[in-house]
Each structure stands twice: as structure tokens, then as C-alpha cells.
Amino acid sequence: EDQVTQSPEALRLQEGESSSLNCSYTVSGLRGLFWYRQDPGKGPEFLFTLYSAGEEKEKERLKATLTKKESFLHITAPKPEDSATYLCAARASGGYQKVTFGTGTKLQVIP
Amino acid sequence: DAMVIQNPRYQVTQFGKPVTLSCSQTLNHNVMYWYQQKSSQAPKLLFHYYDKDFNNEADTPDNFQSRRPNTSFCFLDIRSPGLGDAAMYLCATSSSGGHEQFFGPGTRLTVL
């Protein structure tokens, strides 16, 4: 069974304190690893797609990386507006159009 | 801007009273999804459409039904809502080929 596990469940950072969120996945033949940001009471907002080990994507203070077993979302010098829940999801080969979501990391950045 | 729209944003219904949630998209994507998300949990896939082909998840209760009358619109019908059906319902779309999904803002359902 495909599984996606995110850690930590919650993370509290001081503004400017860089850190990383982890997404470990066990899927049959990864066909895409996706990162989303979700603000309270809203739908997830797409951030990145990674397809192969070694791939990296960047957007402002966020950088996503991928290995054969996990993905990291690095947050450099975070600001309070980066506070949100970050979800990752993985699509397996043969999974047709479906993905498996993790339960997310709730990030709080304190001024 | 191309987007996914859900209506209503907030829905209050009574126990057992049928409710319909709607989703529309201007992305012209051929895959549409309905998810249920409860507090601090991962989105749970209820079903998805690939064009007109309906794909139901094995553990989706019979109480949940869906319709997709055309490419742009998709509906979620909850025939007899129970207290356990109170949740955020998310609609998402993607192009075929398993690319990223784009989500609407969600409908928060309250069951009294």
C-alpha cells in the first residue's frame, strides 16, 4: 500500500530561522511528488512537482528536493506569512490519476 | 484567471437532509476530483472523473454520489448527511497524465 509520512507534525520557528520539512514516501514507482501549501479554511495551493531523484525546485524562500525515498521542503529565512500547513503527495505508477497525501506539517513562524 | 470555483463556501444542513455541493473549472482539465478533509487530516479522495468515466474509491460510503454533466462542472451529492460527514469538501482538477492537481477554496459543511 502506498504511504506518505510527513515530519514533524508541527514546527515553530522564529522569523529568519531556516529549517526543513520532511516527506517520506513508499510508493510503487514514483511518478510525481507534489508539495502544497494550505492556509486555514482554504484549499491547498500548488507549490512544486518533482519527478526524479536529484531534482530541485525553488520559489522565493522555498526549495524542494527529492531523493529515492524522501523529499524535503527547505525554508530559508522564513517570514510570518509563511505560516501554513504544508502537504506533500505522491503519485505511483499505475495509480492512474490518484495521489496519496501525507497529513502535513503545520508551520508557525513567529515575528 | 483560470481557476477552480466551489459553491457554496459554507453549507449548513440538518441531519438527514440532502445537500449538493458544486464545483466548476475554467482550466479545461479533463480530470476532476472530490476530497473530504477533516481537521488536521490529509485530504481523503472520495471519487474522481476522467472525462466522463466515474471512478469511486472502495471506501466511499454509498451516501455520497457525484455527477459531471460536462467538462466544466462537477457536483457532490450527500443523500442523507450524518454528523460524521461534517468536513471541508475540496474539488480539484488536473490534466491527464498525472500532473499536479489544482484545488478550489473548499466548501465547509456543517451538519446540525
Side-chain angles (χ1 to χ4, degrees):
Chain A
E1 183 180 341
D2 297 332
Q3 284 193 327
V4 175
T5 303
Q6 292 188 247
S7 62
E9 289 187 9
L11 182 62
R12 195 176 185 193
L13 298 174
Q14 292 289 331
E15 184 173 1
E17 179 187 2
S18 301
S19 188
S20 297
L21 313 182
N22 177 265
C23 172
S24 297
Y25 62 90
T26 307
V27 300
S28 303
L30 184 72
R31 287 294 180 267
L33 189 291
F34 309 96
W35 282 98
Y36 293 87
R37 169 190 170 129
Q38 187 172 26
D39 291 301
K42 297 186 177 181
E45 174 190 349
F46 170 71
L47 293 174
F48 304 110
T49 304
L50 301 166
Y51 288 106
S52 56
E55 189 175 0
E56 298 182 353
K57 294 271 182 76
E58 283 189 70
K59 179 181 179 180
E60 297 181 351
R61 296 176 292 282
L62 301 177
K63 183 167 85 171
T65 61
L66 182 66
T67 72
K68 289 187 177 180
K69 293 184 178 181
E70 55 193 351
S71 178
F72 294 93
L73 185 65
H74 307 278
I75 304 176
T76 302
K79 297 182 178 182
E81 53 262 42
D82 294 322
S83 298
T85 295
Y86 290 86
L87 296 167
C88 79
R91 178 176 172 260
S93 64
Y96 304 98
Q97 308 299 322
K98 300 192 299 183
V99 298
T100 300
F101 276 91
T103 53
T105 293
K106 186 174 183 179
L107 174 67
Q108 183 184 14
V109 182
I110 304 163
Chain B
D1 287 342
M3 57 175 59
V4 181
I5 301 163
Q6 290 188 245
N7 285 301
R9 292 294 314 280
Y10 302 92
Q11 177 72 57
V12 180
T13 190
Q14 291 182 331
F15 183 94
K17 186 175 181 180
V19 66
T20 295
L21 311 182
S22 73
C23 176
S24 64
Q25 55 129 341
T26 61
L27 296 161
N28 203 31
H29 285 164
N30 55 341
V31 189
M32 294 187 77
Y33 309 78
W34 279 106
Y35 289 89
Q36 178 193 66
Q37 188 179 30
K38 296 186 177 180
S39 182
S40 300
Q41 295 184 17
K44 178 182 182 296
L45 182 65
L46 296 174
F47 20 63
H48 75 277
Y49 280 91
Y50 189 118
D51 293 323
K52 293 185 178 180
D53 293 335
F54 177 71
N55 298 273
N56 197 31
E57 292 302 296
D59 59 353
T60 298
D62 293 340
N63 197 26
F64 291 84
Q65 304 286 321
S66 185
R67 297 168 282 137
R68 188 179 186 185
N70 54 53
T71 301
S72 300
F73 284 87
C74 197
F75 300 96
L76 170 61
D77 300 308
I78 309 176
R79 293 191 297 185
S80 182
L83 298 178
D85 296 327
M88 175 75 87
Y89 289 87
L90 298 166
C91 173
T93 73
S94 74
S95 58
S96 58
H99 299 296
E100 56 272 4
Q101 297 179 20
F102 293 90
F103 286 81
T107 294
R108 170 71 64 186
L109 177 67
T110 300
V111 182
L112 301 177

